Amino acid sequence: MKQRLLLIMPFLLLSAGLFAQQLPARKPAALPPPLLLRQVSGIVKDSTDQSVVGAVVKLVSKKDTVSTATNADGIFIFKNVKQATFTLTISSIGYRTLVKKMLNNDAVPRLTLDPIILKPETNALKEVVVNGTPSIVYKTDTVEYRASDYKVRENATVDELLKKMEGMEVGTDGTLTHQGQQITRAKLNGKEYAGGDVAQAIQNLPADIVDKIQVVDDYGDLAARSGVKDGDPQKVLNITTRADRSVGNTGRITAQGGNNDRYNGQIFAQRINANEQLGVIGRIANTVTGVASTGIAGGATNGGGGGSGVGAGAAKGGSPGTTFSASPSFNYRDQWTKKIQIVSSYAYRYSDNNSVNNSYGQTNSTLGSTDFTSQSTRENKTKSHNLSFEMDYSIDSANYLQITPTFSYSNSSNFSTSVTDNINNFTTGFEHPVVNGANGSLNSAPNYGATVLYQHIFKKPHRNVSFQFSINRSNSQANGDRDNDYHYYFDNTRDSLLRDSASHLLTNRTSKNTTYRTSVTYVEPINLVSQFEFNGQVRTAVYDNKAISDTVLANGQIVELTRLDNIYNYSFTETRATLNYRYNGEKVNLSLGTTIVPTLLTGTKINNGTSENVATSRSDFKIIPVFRFSYSWSRTERISIAYSGTNTEPNFQQIQPFTDRSDPNNIVVGNPNLKPTFTNSLNVIYNNYLPNSRFNLSFNINGTTIDNQTTTNVLQIRQFLSADPMDPTNETKFKYKTINEIHYININGSYAIVGRYNIAKQFDDRRYNLSLNGNVTYAFNNAMSNNVLYHNTNWRFDERFGPRINPTDWFEVNPYVGYDISRSFTTLHNADPTSLRTTSLGIDGKVYFLKTFQVNYSAAKSYVTGLTGINSNPFVINAGFEKEFLAKKNLVLTFNVYDILHQNNFIQQTLSPQGGYTNTLSSTLSRYFLVGLRLNLQKWSGVPKRNGKTMKRRGDGSFIYE
């Protein structure tokens, strides 16, 4: 065979030579001449695919010697490079220096190099990990934290990570505030997670999957795509996952039981694969609510009080009492195709809350003050279903469609008993009414709707148009049963009864609502950094309301009370048209424009006195300026100023043209001339993070003024009650009761100023953290009573200093001190000012020993003054023990004891716009223990890839399917 090949080979070579001679000769193509200058750019990353910021890049050739540093995205650029063959030297602290010889085409004007990967330094005497990116970056609408700079222990959850970040305050009930403002929704990699439930997200997701924490001023999906902002934003938490923790499974199971029928069971399972998410979260518990939360409720800003719940607004921790709750939920997200992404969630929630409350306080009017005490018991059962679905369809590079149907259903039953004792010290005479009540209600409210969003992007950069249409329907039903006994006494004792009466009303209420909303936005660019923006929308809400009342006689007979029926329907239409100019510079962002808002409110109501339909119609027109400005000195320092104007129409009940006597003790007189309320708001925010010093400053000032504020003018009318039986004709001895006639009016002059701040300093690689949070609030509110104008002033000074000390891996201690003073004054006759002061001292921490053991503790002492008749200086101590098992330490035995001294209580003070106050003390069985097991499971499969290539990501963490 070999011999045959040798014989054939010469003939093949000869044939090829002859064939080549027959072809015409080709001239070689002329090469383009080499360029004199060119641009060279590239990106520097580490082995985890993270950009390396601040790396020094040096370029050397026979004619060049230049150097630069990578920017915030790890990118470097050299301009006017004379030769295409050069040597790059890249160095950065914590990484090995890399030297690369580069040979490139000298005729290409822009050379984009392949990503340069730096490997960590392994032979350093002490571990140093510095990648040059600041821990905190302030963007236009986003504050971004780099999670890797905040150390937590293995198997920690996201809430433990957040507690270490500057400006974050986390409550034990899962509530979260950032720089004094509450976070309302949660997202994972740019899409709503677990129905947006913040507590579900941060208390279940493991901390070690987090790449970045972003706090976003969210204006909605339409604004996110078009760039046109409208209305006020929500504070949203977005969690982006690490690239190497974006494919895999994670789960957590908790089972605990204790005394006093206390128990807690939780299950969490989550599958993540790039944009694919499939998860189940469930909890069933019977625990104390209203007193358990620290970090948000309490006597200091954004926390404090050790969970004592003492202070103005302390009720933020939840409803007082004991609650049985169950809350299974399901979340799903997947990229069905390259163009279609689906996001959906379902959640069911059930709760049964029982509480026993004692309250006392004062209400005020121009006639004098009313001192009251009340004892009540309450049971509140609620059920709810929430289903959401979102389809994102990227039709092509220029067209996008989003469809979002929603459904929810809630059902509740409430029953309460109460005894309220009122002492009326009026200038018109002394009164002593006592009301014994037993009230119940059954409520249901199905709600369903859909939103469709379409966007088209034109070929011209930044030019786009968007259309959005939504419809929502609801049908709320409420059946009430009010059984009240009224007793009127001669003096401040209950020994001498003047008169008594009874009222037993059954009320069936139905409220149907359909809301339509259509909007269009258009962006016309002027150049690369400026544009005109238009936003127009029409919103129409149609209401059909009916309330039918019956009375129950002493013999149980039910009689219709048509004179108390309340039947009306109305529609409210608001049109908004906004045109503004927007400038997006490297440091300056500016929006300046005008919004016009015409409104129309029309409706009819049956006048029970004449049984005729009475029509009402009113219109209004408002011009609202648009102003937003921000200036960034750097990625870590910015200031923003924003003005917003909000127009709020009165509701139909307030403008009805006749008198509503459905409650004979509280008669409502409508005002058809009532004007809309307009609120002016100016917000100033300054943020500065000094990365080299690890020092953060955040200040926020918000001022509001209110024009045509809708409020009530309560006329107190005396009604004859009884005469002296020994002298029945002597009018000076007549006894009266007071009923309220409520009139709706407009008042000008109310305003409020709120200042918040956060100052944080970290030392020794964040082992020592100092944080000072606070706010100062001043509010001036005009009001009217008995046609007499008066005003109330309220101010609050609320501070908390809380170091976090973690000098070693086995020891953590977090002391804090909080001071909160809330004072109110009113110009009403005989009204008492209030002054509530709370000083909170506390400490909590953890100690780890023998590698697998942990002891945790918390202790808080609150000193409270200003609660008349209540001595409340609780000392609350909680403690716990944990033992870890298995090689990964992911099976944990837990034992926790709560309120060891049994001094935890729930005290809440609320202030009314009329200058009154109410102090409420709720009893609860807060001393109990729980023992149980917790199992943490995780398994990850690396970085998401598609077609063999690592997937790219957007800024919100979502993956790009190419």
Side-chain angles (χ1 to χ4, degrees):
M1 186 67 179
K2 292 181 178 179
Q3 292 177 348
R4 292 180 181 176
L5 289 174
L6 291 174
L7 290 174
I8 295 173
M9 187 65 67
F11 293 99
L12 292 174
L13 294 174
L14 179 61
S15 301
L18 294 173
F19 180 75
Q21 292 176 6
Q22 296 173 0
L23 293 175
R26 291 185 180 180
K27 295 181 180 180
L31 296 175
L35 299 175
L36 296 177
L37 299 172
R38 60 198 47 78
Q39 176 180 295
V40 179
S41 63
I43 185 171
V44 180
K45 296 185 176 183
D46 61 17
S47 56
T48 65
D49 200 40
Q50 297 297 308
S51 300
V52 178
V53 180
V56 177
V57 184
K58 186 176 182 180
L59 183 151
V60 177
S61 71
K62 292 181 179 180
K63 297 182 180 180
D64 302 282
T65 301
V66 291
S67 62
T68 187
T70 56
N71 64 12
D73 299 313
I75 295 173
F76 64 89
I77 300 175
F78 291 108
K79 296 182 178 180
N80 301 323
V81 177
K82 298 175 182 177
Q83 284 200 322
T85 300
F86 49 79
T87 300
L88 284 181
T89 303
I90 305 97
S91 60
S92 182
I93 298 176
Y95 298 95
R96 297 179 186 175
T97 299
L98 179 65
V99 180
K100 297 191 72 172
K101 180 85 170 181
M102 313 294 289
L103 179 61
N104 301 285
N105 188 341
D106 59 5
V108 177
R110 289 183 174 84
L111 297 175
T112 302
L113 308 179
D114 292 334
I116 298 170
I117 308 300
L118 294 184
K119 296 182 179 180
E121 184 65 69
T122 58
N123 59 352
L125 295 177
K126 184 179 180 180
E127 182 181 3
V128 178
V129 180
V130 180
N131 61 18
T133 303
S135 301
I136 306 175
V137 175
Y138 291 105
K139 302 179 181 179
T140 302
D141 292 317
T142 304
V143 182
E144 187 173 271
Y145 296 80
R146 192 176 61 194
S148 59
D149 286 352
Y150 303 88
K151 306 302 180 184
V152 293
R153 289 183 67 87
E154 190 176 5
N155 296 316
T157 48
V158 172
D159 58 340
E160 293 296 320
L161 175 67
L162 293 171
K163 290 176 182 178
K164 296 181 178 292
M165 294 180 171
E166 296 87 340
M168 298 284 193
E169 291 285 340
V170 184
T172 54
D173 59 353
T175 45
L176 174 65
T177 64
H178 177 255
Q179 297 177 2
Q181 295 179 293
Q182 187 158 357
I183 304 295
T184 58
R185 291 189 296 124
K187 294 183 176 182
L188 181 65
N189 288 335
K191 286 296 183 180
E192 199 167 81
Y193 178 75
D197 192 307
V198 176
Q200 294 274 41
I202 68 176
Q203 292 181 334
N204 288 291
L205 288 170
D208 61 359
I209 74 170
V210 180
D211 177 36
K212 296 175 183 177
I213 292 291
Q214 298 173 334
V215 178
V216 183
D217 289 335
D218 191 350
Y219 290 85
D221 290 338
L222 178 60
R225 297 200 63 88
S226 67
V228 180
K229 302 172 184 176
D230 181 64
D232 295 323
Q234 287 184 314
K235 286 289 183 182
V236 174
L237 177 75
N238 184 45
I239 302 169
T240 71
T241 57
R242 289 168 42 186
D244 61 342
R245 291 291 190 274
S246 295
V247 180
N249 304 290
T250 181
R252 174 186 293 253
I253 301 174
T254 302
Q256 295 174 304
N259 65 326
N260 293 333
D261 198 27
R262 300 286 188 263
Y263 50 85
N264 176 43
Q266 299 183 53
I267 184 171
F268 164 73
Q270 186 71 49
R271 166 68 179 171
I272 299 176
N273 184 1
N275 287 347
E276 176 190 334
Q277 297 170 15
L278 180 62
V280 176
I281 303 174
R283 186 187 183 205
I284 183 170
N286 187 33
T287 56
V288 175
T289 58
V291 298
S293 179
T294 61
I296 301 298
T301 292
N302 306 330
S308 63
V310 178
K316 294 177 184 176
S319 301
T322 302
T323 298
F324 166 76
S325 61
S327 55
S329 64
F330 166 83
N331 66 85
Y332 171 75
R333 174 182 178 181
D334 198 6
Q335 194 83 29
W336 282 8
T337 68
K338 179 181 177 180
K339 296 183 177 182
I340 297 178
Q341 181 179 198
I342 300 298
V343 182
S344 67
S345 67
Y346 167 76
Y348 170 77
R349 289 181 172 82
Y350 174 82
S351 69
D352 184 356
N353 175 261
N354 293 271
S355 63
V356 178
N357 307 310
N358 293 289
S359 61
Y360 70 94
Q362 186 180 90
T363 60
N364 304 300
S365 72
T366 55
L367 297 184
S369 61
T370 296
D371 297 307
F372 67 87
T373 61
S374 178
Q375 298 81 39
S376 65
T377 63
R378 298 179 184 275
E379 182 179 16
N380 183 11
K381 296 181 180 180
T382 61
K383 301 176 184 178
S384 67
H385 301 265
N386 290 277
L387 176 64
S388 66
F389 181 88
E390 176 185 317
M391 184 188 74
D392 299 295
Y393 179 27
S394 299
I395 303 170
D396 51 40
S397 60
N399 296 280
Y400 169 83
L401 178 68
Q402 182 189 82
I403 302 175
T404 311
T406 60
F407 172 79
S408 66
Y409 176 82
S410 62
N411 177 275
S412 66
S413 62
N414 307 282
F415 181 76
S416 65
T417 62
S418 63
V419 178
T420 303
D421 193 314
N422 302 278
I423 301 294
N424 300 334
N425 297 301
F426 293 161
T427 55
T428 54
F430 176 85
E431 298 175 9
H432 183 191
V434 176
V435 182
N436 292 273
N439 301 316
S441 65
L442 294 173
N443 308 284
S444 64
N447 188 306
Y448 56 94
T451 301
V452 178
L453 166 63
Y454 169 76
Q455 182 187 40
H456 176 73
I457 300 174
F458 297 90
K459 291 183 179 181
K460 184 176 182 179
H462 302 299
R463 178 187 288 172
N464 68 85
V465 63
S466 302
F467 302 92
Q468 189 178 58
F469 174 77
S470 66
I471 180 172
N472 286 280
R473 296 179 183 272
S474 64
N475 185 2
S476 302
Q477 294 184 335
N479 299 325
D481 185 340
R482 294 187 299 168
D483 188 1
N484 294 323
D485 293 330
Y486 300 90
H487 304 272
Y488 301 91
Y489 294 94
F490 180 78
D491 52 26
N492 58 7
T493 69
R494 300 187 189 181
D495 298 332
S496 180
L497 180 66
L498 289 174
R499 186 178 176 182
D500 61 3
S501 62
S503 172
H504 190 175
L505 290 177
L506 304 178
T507 305
N508 298 317
R509 299 178 182 271
T510 302
S511 178
K512 298 179 181 179
N513 166 245
T514 303
T515 300
Y516 307 90
R517 182 179 179 274
T518 303
S519 68
V520 58
T521 65
Y522 177 74
V523 176
E524 178 59 40
I526 303 171
N527 50 45
L528 293 178
V529 295
S530 61
Q531 60 195 37
F532 286 112
E533 300 174 344
F534 171 78
N535 174 263
Q537 57 180 281
V538 178
R539 178 182 177 273
T540 300
V542 181
Y543 298 88
D544 185 0
N545 300 298
K546 180 185 294 186
I548 306 299
S549 298
D550 300 327
T551 185
V552 181
L553 304 180
N555 60 4
Q557 181 182 357
I558 298 177
V559 179
E560 292 183 0
L561 291 178
T562 55
R563 62 183 176 84
L564 299 183
D565 290 349
N566 199 356
I567 302 172
Y568 61 97
N569 59 75
Y570 70 99
S571 66
F572 174 67
T573 300
E574 179 185 75
T575 303
R576 299 174 68 94
T578 302
L579 179 65
N580 69 276
Y581 165 81
R582 183 177 177 187
Y583 175 80
N584 293 306
E586 184 177 349
K587 293 182 176 293
V588 175
N589 284 269
L590 173 67
S591 292
L592 191 63
T594 301
T595 301
I596 58 173
V597 187
T599 59
L600 176 65
L601 179 66
T602 61
T604 60
K605 188 179 189 303
I606 294 179
N607 187 341
N608 294 334
T610 62
S611 298
E612 295 179 351
N613 276 327
V614 179
T616 300
S617 177
R618 58 155 308 125
S619 60
D620 187 70
F621 183 84
K622 200 74 177 181
I623 299 177
I624 304 174
V626 175
F627 176 76
R628 298 186 189 93
F629 170 81
S630 68
Y631 181 82
S632 299
W633 288 270
S634 66
R635 292 174 297 148
T636 60
E637 184 179 13
R638 71 168 182 180
I639 186 171
S640 62
I641 304 172
Y643 166 84
S644 65
T646 305
N647 202 43
T648 306
E649 278 286 329
N651 63 50
F652 189 74
Q653 284 285 69
Q654 293 171 337
I655 66 167
Q656 61 185 5
F658 49 84
T659 301
D660 180 358
R661 301 181 183 273
S662 57
D663 183 351
N665 290 318
N666 294 280
I667 300 170
V668 178
V669 180
N671 180 4
N673 297 316
L674 206 59
K675 298 178 181 179
T677 298
F678 186 77
T679 303
N680 302 278
S681 178
L682 184 65
N683 198 43
V684 181
I685 302 175
Y686 173 77
N687 298 297
N688 189 7
Y689 177 67
L690 306 176
N692 293 333
S693 303
R694 289 180 176 171
F695 182 67
N696 184 72
L697 290 171
S698 297
F699 298 97
N700 169 229
I701 299 176
N702 178 263
T704 58
T705 63
I706 304 176
D707 299 328
N708 294 320
Q709 178 184 4
T710 300
T711 187
T712 57
N713 174 27
V714 180
L715 304 182
Q716 295 174 297
I717 301 172
R718 291 201 305 169
Q719 284 190 350
F720 175 77
L721 191 63
S722 66
D724 186 347
M726 303 301 297
D727 192 4
T729 61
N730 188 347
E731 295 186 2
T732 61
K733 296 183 179 181
F734 288 177
K735 292 296 181 181
Y736 298 88
K737 73 172 184 178
T738 300
I739 64 171
N740 298 321
E741 189 175 273
I742 302 169
H743 295 252
Y744 293 104
I745 60 172
N746 291 121
I747 292 181
N748 294 318
S750 297
Y751 62 91
I753 301 174
V754 180
R756 303 182 182 92
Y757 67 87
N758 168 258
I759 303 173
K761 168 67 177 174
Q762 300 180 334
F763 302 90
D764 194 13
D765 197 24
R766 291 190 168 82
R767 290 184 175 89
Y768 303 93
N769 304 278
L770 304 180
S771 180
L772 177 64
N773 301 291
N775 75 58
V776 179
T777 302
Y778 177 80
F780 180 95
N781 186 63
N782 276 322
M784 184 171 284
S785 172
N786 293 306
N787 294 323
V788 177
L789 184 67
Y790 68 97
H791 69 264
N792 307 309
T793 57
N794 301 286
W795 71 273
R796 188 178 182 190
F797 180 76
D798 186 8
E799 320 300 313
R800 169 180 163 129
F801 176 67
R804 302 187 68 88
I805 302 171
N806 194 183
T808 67
D809 291 338
W810 59 267
F811 182 75
E812 177 183 336
V813 59
N814 309 304
Y816 69 83
V817 57
Y819 180 72
D820 179 11
I821 177 172
S822 178
R823 304 185 67 183
S824 67
F825 306 89
T826 181
T827 57
L828 280 172
H829 179 68
N830 290 333
D832 296 331
T834 66
S835 179
L836 178 64
R837 295 179 175 88
T838 304
T839 301
S840 303
L841 304 174
I843 188 171
D844 65 75
K846 299 176 182 178
V847 178
Y848 302 88
F849 58 97
L850 298 179
K851 296 184 179 180
T852 60
F853 290 86
Q854 179 218 102
V855 172
N856 57 77
Y857 58 89
S858 67
K861 177 67 174 178
S862 298
Y863 298 91
V864 184
T865 60
L867 297 175
T868 306
I870 296 180
N871 182 18
S872 180
N873 296 310
F875 185 32
V876 181
I877 300 176
N878 304 320
F881 166 83
E882 293 188 358
K883 169 69 172 89
E884 298 172 333
F885 297 93
L886 305 181
K888 295 183 179 180
K889 301 179 182 179
N890 58 334
L891 179 62
V892 184
L893 172 68
T894 65
F895 177 75
N896 297 93
V897 182
Y898 301 93
D899 192 15
I900 296 175
L901 302 182
H902 204 192
Q903 294 189 17
N904 204 344
N905 50 35
F906 186 91
I907 302 174
Q908 177 190 1
Q909 183 180 83
T910 56
L911 303 177
S912 72
Q914 290 74 31
Y917 65 91
T918 301
N919 297 322
T920 302
L921 173 64
S922 301
S923 62
T924 183
L925 299 175
S926 57
R927 179 166 60 183
Y928 63 99
F929 72 85
L930 289 174
V931 61
L933 291 171
R934 182 175 68 248
L935 177 64
N936 303 298
L937 299 171
Q938 291 192 54
K939 185 177 181 180
W940 304 101
S941 305
V943 178
K945 294 185 177 181
R946 186 173 175 85
N947 299 324
K949 296 182 179 180
T950 300
M951 298 179 68
K952 297 179 181 179
R953 307 181 74 174
R954 301 180 182 89
D956 61 3
S958 59
F959 289 86
I960 301 173
Y961 285 69
E962 296 177 328

